[in-house]
Amino acid sequence: MNSLGNLVRNLTLAGLLLVVMAAPMATPALAHAIIVSSVPAAGATVAGPDIDLAITFNVRVDADRSKLTLTGPDGSSADIAILPNDSPAVLSGHLTGLKAGVYSVRWQVLATDGHITRGDVNFTVTP
Ligand SMILES: [Cu+2]
């Protein structure tokens, strides 16, 4: 093979390598879940006793394999029922009978890449 042929072959290999390396970056949907926003927002003060909860993630999450837990001002915890909604990237619930104080919602979610992530959203309820 002459030198031009070698050059063409090497450039083709380099091009293929770039495509292979770029492929994972072209599929951002396959990532673990990071919280984007929430209602109530972290650190917010909201009026009780009933509150709609919605946590939005950067990717679709598996609601059936995800878990929301509410811890109240007295330290007691309870599972939050995850309600159906229109967005696969949102977990929502409805909290009722909240007394005044600081609450924490612990979220643990399974994303499409198979990774579980978790975190907390704290907020204050006023009567
Ligand atoms: Cu991941």
Side-chain angles (χ1 to χ4, degrees):
M1 198 179 284
N2 61 29
S3 60
L4 183 60
N6 276 330
L7 180 64
V8 169
R9 194 191 56 167
N10 288 339
L11 283 175
T12 304
L13 278 175
L16 282 174
L17 208 60
L18 271 178
V19 168
V20 168
M21 289 167 64
M25 289 183 274
T27 53
L30 208 61
H32 50 252
I34 298 166
I35 192 168
V36 171
S37 63
S38 66
V39 177
T45 297
V46 293
D50 300 342
I51 292 170
D52 284 321
L53 173 72
I55 302 180
T56 302
F57 298 92
N58 60 323
V59 290
R60 146 198 306 270
V61 295
D62 185 337
D64 292 336
R65 293 180 179 79
S66 298
K67 191 173 161 67
L68 297 177
T69 311
L70 179 70
T71 300
D74 62 357
S76 66
S77 295
D79 286 355
I80 300 168
I82 296 175
L83 303 176
N85 65 63
D86 292 338
S87 171
V90 176
L91 293 180
S92 54
H94 188 64
L95 310 176
T96 58
L98 301 186
K99 301 179 175 76
V102 177
Y103 286 79
S104 176
V105 173
R106 161 68 53 102
W107 54 268
Q108 175 180 302
V109 302
L110 175 66
T112 47
D113 72 345
H115 292 164
I116 292 171
T117 49
R118 55 181 68 85
D120 300 285
V121 176
N122 300 326
F123 56 90
T124 299
V125 172
T126 58

